[in-house]
């Protein structure tokens, strides 16, 4: 018998797609663990356990608000939507459709993101992007080029079958704790865990070999490992000859990356480089895990390409326990990318320069001509606003101000917009800058599908009503689109999902009913009776002629290095108790009680040099701005490196705005800085 007080749902934080039940009671709503969920088996991290706290938070937006000289004024939905439609039409009339910008959200459903980008592109704007730009945008061009698809190759639970797990740029024990459960199961079976990270993180603690590399030297390390593998004949020649192209060029390029040379660049001993290379190549099944420690660099695309090359030359793909695991940061970042909420891709990872693919979408939508070519990204939209090229910005579920690199600059530039509308669940710093704010429903207050990092598409039903007059993002988009004359006639999200299946081949067999089943469906799922595809590339790759492409890349240093004025390097990342820009977790009482303020980790040698004691309030300066933080003196990172979590507004004021030339992601992970004790404190 079904317990109707238990509503199955998916955690709204990271992209693992952990399932749990929302238990509806007469006086209290709580969490019931979902023991049979295939990804988390009932377990939740601290954020997941605290997630219901945001639903009834007093800061929730409840009514549409308009900014006036006297402050915020409550207005009706009718007035709010009419105003947004009026501003869109005025912008198109006076400046053309490419003066419009649309920022979607990895927090919203597939259906909401799909309609959001569809509305923008039918209006003629190329400027559609999302927060995926700031986390895993290098994964898309690099893995598309290598494999023909840009996603995790194996389910998370398959890590339990690995004999070697190589984590690079990923502190999964803190950032994706459920992954650690499967890694520990592999260790119980005898698996060898290698962690490459500049910091001694909880993930490094559970490793068998920690490669403490210098910031931004990942390509050098990976090339050094491949130099050993090719030099000792450990590459998988059968796999290379049958299933790849480009190996000979890579082998030639690797000759300069001897363990001794790479040791000089990375700080990792030659013997450790050799040990890591041999272990990864010789293991029966080896997996590579990476996250934003790989992608958030000015050469992030090269970093991902090098990870793909390592897997390809060893034939560690297309099998259980092997594969490549890009660990995504937000609950629907994979879905947002699949839906085309990116400046460089239409739905289904179709290039914005692929005229034939765009023509297919024009016919399917009965609309056109649709815009061709690259639009403004999440990083370039504020710049364009400052230059006067972007006049209108629609932000759905994204705190741009606190997510942007060098965020003080972005705030100044966005002030130049003619009009900005923000649709969100809280009055974020970005919403405070808007001309109009629309109250959105949180994940548990609406229905729709989400796609996890492992390509698992899951449907959730509404468990509780939204507060006040808050509405789902889907409802707001439909209402606005019809005021703009776009005739979006959908009965609900299930009808939108059906259209997604007609546009995105890998979703063709995914219906609401199938996605509602425990654990949903893992795409590609090309037809309704298809079981889904947990492991990719078992027979061939999606790339041309079914062969993967090996793409040699060279090491390039970070954009900023230490100097006399800025003698230290700052790196940023997550901690287990907080999430992204903190707009949700910093409103969670239980999480804030344990992690209430911004801190900076300082090596004891650096602390002594600058007369800093553990617990001091210190000032961190970069070329862009300054921030105040509580000093934590620790040996978790080497001398010369500071670490700050990016969940508090001050951190991203400091980060570099140099971007990867291909993926256009900023270098959040390396910035030259200095530190000092605050005067008078």
């Amino acid at each position: 018998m079904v317990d109707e007080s238990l509503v199955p749902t998916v955690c709204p934080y990271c992209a693992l797609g952990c399932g749990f039940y929302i238990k509806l009671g007469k006086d209290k709503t709580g969490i019931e663990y979902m023991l049979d969920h295939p990804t988390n088996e009932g377990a939740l991290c601290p954020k997941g356990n605290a997630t219901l706290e945001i639903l009834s938070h007093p800061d929730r937006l409840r009514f549409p608000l308009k900014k006036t000289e006297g402050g915020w004024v409550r207005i009706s939905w009718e007035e709010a939507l009419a105003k947004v439609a009026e501003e869109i039409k005025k912008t198109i009339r006076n400046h053309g459709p490419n003066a419009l910008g649309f920022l979607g959200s990895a927090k919203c459903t597939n259906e909401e993101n799909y309609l959001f980008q569809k509305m923008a592109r039918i209006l003629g704007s190329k400027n559609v992007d999302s927060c995926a730009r700031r986390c895993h945008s290098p994964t898309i061009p690099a893995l598309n080029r290598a494999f023909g698809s840009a996603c995790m190759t194996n389910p998370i639970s398959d890590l339990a079958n690995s004999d070697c797990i190589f984590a690079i740029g990923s502190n999964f024990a803190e950032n994706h704790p459920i992954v650690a459960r499967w890694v520990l199961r592999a260790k119980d079976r005898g698996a060898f865990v290698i962690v490459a990270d500049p910091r001694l993180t909880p993930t490094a603690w559970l490793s068998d070999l920690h490669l403490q590399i210098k910031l931004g030297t990942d390509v050098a390390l990976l090339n050094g490992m491949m130099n050993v593998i090719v030099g000792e004949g450990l590459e998988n020649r059968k796999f290379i000859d049958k299933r790849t192209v480009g190996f000979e060029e890579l082998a030639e390029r690797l000759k300069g990356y001897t363990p001794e040379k790479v040791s000089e660049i990375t700080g990792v001993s030659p013997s450790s480089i050799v040990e890591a290379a041999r272990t990864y190549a010789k293991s029966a099944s080896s997996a590579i895990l990476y996250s934003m420690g790989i992608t958030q660099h000015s050469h992030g695309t090269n970093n991902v390409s090098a990870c793909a090359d390592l897997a390809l030359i060893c034939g560690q793909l297309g099998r259980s326990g092997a594969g490549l695991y890009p660990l995504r940061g937000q609950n629907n970042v994979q879905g947002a990318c699949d839906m085309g909420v990116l400046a460089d891709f239409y739905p289904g990872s179709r290039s914005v320069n692929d005229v034939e693919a765009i023509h297919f979408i024009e016919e399917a939508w009965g609309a056109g001509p649709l815009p061709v070519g690259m639009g403004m990204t999440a990083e370039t939209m504020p710049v364009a606003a400052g230059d006067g090229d972007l006049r209108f910005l629609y932000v759905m579920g994204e705190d741009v101000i606190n997510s942007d690199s060098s965020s003080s600059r972005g705030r100044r530039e966005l002030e130049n917009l003619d009009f900005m509308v923000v649709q969100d669940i809280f009055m974020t710093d970005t919403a405070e800058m808007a001309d109009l704010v629309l109250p959105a429903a949180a994940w548990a207050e609406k229905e729709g599908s989400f796609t996890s990092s492992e390509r698992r598409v899951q449907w959730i039903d509404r468990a509780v009503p939204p507060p006040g007059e808050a509405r789902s993002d889907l409802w707001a988009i439909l209402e606005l689109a019809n005021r703009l004359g776009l005739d979006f006639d959908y009965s609900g999200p299930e009808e939108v999902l059906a259209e997604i299946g007609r546009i995105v081949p890998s979703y063709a067999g995914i219906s609401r009913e199938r996605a509602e089943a425990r654990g949903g469906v893992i795409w590609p799922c090309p037809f309704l009776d298809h079981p889904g595809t947990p492991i990719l590339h078992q027979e061939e790759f999606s790339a041309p002629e079914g062969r993967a492409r090996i793409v040699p890349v060279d090491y390039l240093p970070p954009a900023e290095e230490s100097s006399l004025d800025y003698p230290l390097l700052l790196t940023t990342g997550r901690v287990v108790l907080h999430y992204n820009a903190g707009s949700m977790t910093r409103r969670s009482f239980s999480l804030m009680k344990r992690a209430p303020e911004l801190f900076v980790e300082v090596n004891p040698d650096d602390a002594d040099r600058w007369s800093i004691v553990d617990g001091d309030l210190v000032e961190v300066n970069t070329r862009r701005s300054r921030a105040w933080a509580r000093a934590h003196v620790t040996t978790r990172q080497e001398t010369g490196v500071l670490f700050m979590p990016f969940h508090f507004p001050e951190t991203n004021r400091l980060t570099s705005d140099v971007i990867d030339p291909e993926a256009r992601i900023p270098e959040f992970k390396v910035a030259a800085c200095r530190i000092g004790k605050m005067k008078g404190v």
Side-chain angles (χ1 to χ4, degrees), residues 7-191:
V7 180
T9 193
V10 176
C11 181
Y13 284 112
C14 86
L16 297 188
C18 297
F20 64 92
Y21 296 101
I22 296 178
K23 186 175 181 62
L24 304 177
K26 201 168 188 181
D27 303 313
K28 185 180 179 182
T29 300
I31 284 176
E32 184 90 3
Y33 297 115
M34 189 180 289
L35 302 179
D36 59 345
H37 192 278
T39 302
N40 63 306
E41 298 181 324
L44 293 175
C45 75
K47 294 184 293 293
N49 276 296
T51 190
L52 297 187
E53 293 178 7
I54 66 171
L55 294 179
S56 58
H57 196 280
D59 287 354
R60 286 292 303 276
L61 290 168
R62 288 166 165 75
F63 308 98
L65 300 171
K66 180 174 70 173
K67 184 176 288 180
T68 68
E69 291 184 1
W72 292 104
V73 175
R74 174 180 166 181
I75 60 174
S76 68
W77 270 103
E78 179 60 39
E79 182 182 350
L81 293 168
K83 179 62 175 174
V84 177
E86 175 192 336
E87 292 294 335
I88 289 174
K89 291 174 182 177
K90 184 169 70 175
T91 302
I92 294 173
R93 185 169 60 249
N94 295 339
H95 306 285
N98 273 316
L100 300 171
F102 296 83
L103 283 174
S105 176
K107 305 303 300 167
C108 294
T109 67
N110 288 321
E111 296 73 26
E112 289 164 341
N113 277 299
Y114 174 80
L115 288 188
F116 189 73
Q117 62 82 35
K118 179 177 180 179
M119 175 176 68
R121 285 168 164 145
I122 291 178
L123 288 171
S125 176
K126 295 190 288 188
N127 308 322
V128 182
D129 212 37
S130 67
C131 41
R133 181 68 51 192
R134 300 188 183 91
C135 55
H136 268 278
S137 54
T139 292
I140 299 172
L143 295 193
N144 268 334
R145 187 163 48 229
F147 306 154
S149 60
C151 48
M152 189 179 286
T153 61
N154 296 48
I156 292 162
S157 59
D158 195 40
L159 286 168
N161 301 315
S162 299
D163 296 299
C164 173
I165 295 170
F166 176 31
I168 180 166
S170 171
N171 179 15
F172 60 77
E174 276 197 274
N175 304 335
H176 300 90
I178 300 304
V179 169
R181 290 167 56 88
W182 297 104
V183 172
L184 289 170
R185 288 190 190 180
K187 278 180 68 72
D188 287 344
R189 290 180 48 254

Side-chain angles (χ1 to χ4, degrees), residues 2 34 53 66 89 195 216 261 270 288 295 303 309 323 326 389 408 475 488 491 496 523 531 558 588 603 651 665:
V2 177
M34 189 180 289
E53 293 178 7
K66 180 174 70 173
K89 291 174 182 177
V195 173
K261 178 66 175 177
I288 297 175
T295 58
N303 291 347
D309 290 344
D389 296 326
S408 297
W475 180 89
F488 278 17
S491 60
V496 181
W523 70 254
S588 171
N603 182 276
T651 302
I665 190 172

Side-chain angles (χ1 to χ4, degrees), residues 28 37 43 70 77 93 131 188 211 236 258 303 325 327 385 448 495 498 552 566-567 582 591 596 605 608 661:
K28 185 180 179 182
H37 192 278
W77 270 103
R93 185 169 60 249
C131 41
D188 287 344
L211 309 176
N236 187 330
T258 63
N303 291 347
Y325 289 75
L327 296 174
E495 190 174 346
Y566 297 95
L591 298 177
D605 292 340
D608 288 344

Side-chain angles (χ1 to χ4, degrees), residues 188-212:
D188 287 344
R189 290 180 48 254
F192 193 89
V193 176
I194 306 165
V195 173
D197 198 299
R199 302 171 61 232
L200 184 58
T201 64
T203 303
W205 298 342
L206 62 79
S207 70
D208 299 288
L209 177 63
H210 177 209
L211 309 176
Q212 194 162 17

Side-chain angles (χ1 to χ4, degrees), residues 7-8 110-111 446-450 457-463 474 491-501 507-521 525 528:
V7 180
N110 288 321
E111 296 73 26
K446 58 187 177 183
E447 58 181 358
S449 66
F450 295 89
V457 183
Q458 302 177 88
W459 187 277
I460 64 170
D461 293 318
R462 189 173 94 156
L474 186 78
S491 60
E494 62 276 359
E495 190 174 346
V496 181
L497 179 60
E499 180 173 309
I500 291 168
Y507 282 68
I510 302 177
S511 63
R512 172 175 179 163
E513 291 72 27
R514 298 197 69 191
E516 279 181 322
R518 183 73 68 250
V521 184
C525 182
L528 281 174

Side-chain angles (χ1 to χ4, degrees), residues 419-492:
F419 194 86
M420 179 164 69
V421 56
V422 170
Q423 196 165 296
D424 214 320
I425 63 174
F426 291 116
M427 182 65 80
T428 63
D429 287 349
T430 304
E432 287 282 7
M433 289 190 64
D435 299 281
L436 194 66
V437 173
L438 303 177
W443 96 102
E445 299 160 355
K446 58 187 177 183
E447 58 181 358
S449 66
F450 295 89
T451 306
S452 74
S453 193
E454 58 184 355
R455 296 172 282 113
R456 189 181 299 277
V457 183
Q458 302 177 88
W459 187 277
I460 64 170
D461 293 318
R462 189 173 94 156
V464 293
E469 294 180 8
R471 297 289 183 269
S472 73
D473 298 277
L474 186 78
W475 180 89
I477 294 165
L478 290 173
E479 290 291 321
L480 177 61
N482 289 322
R483 281 168 173 78
L484 292 166
L486 302 187
D487 192 27
F488 278 17
D489 185 19
Y490 299 91
S491 60

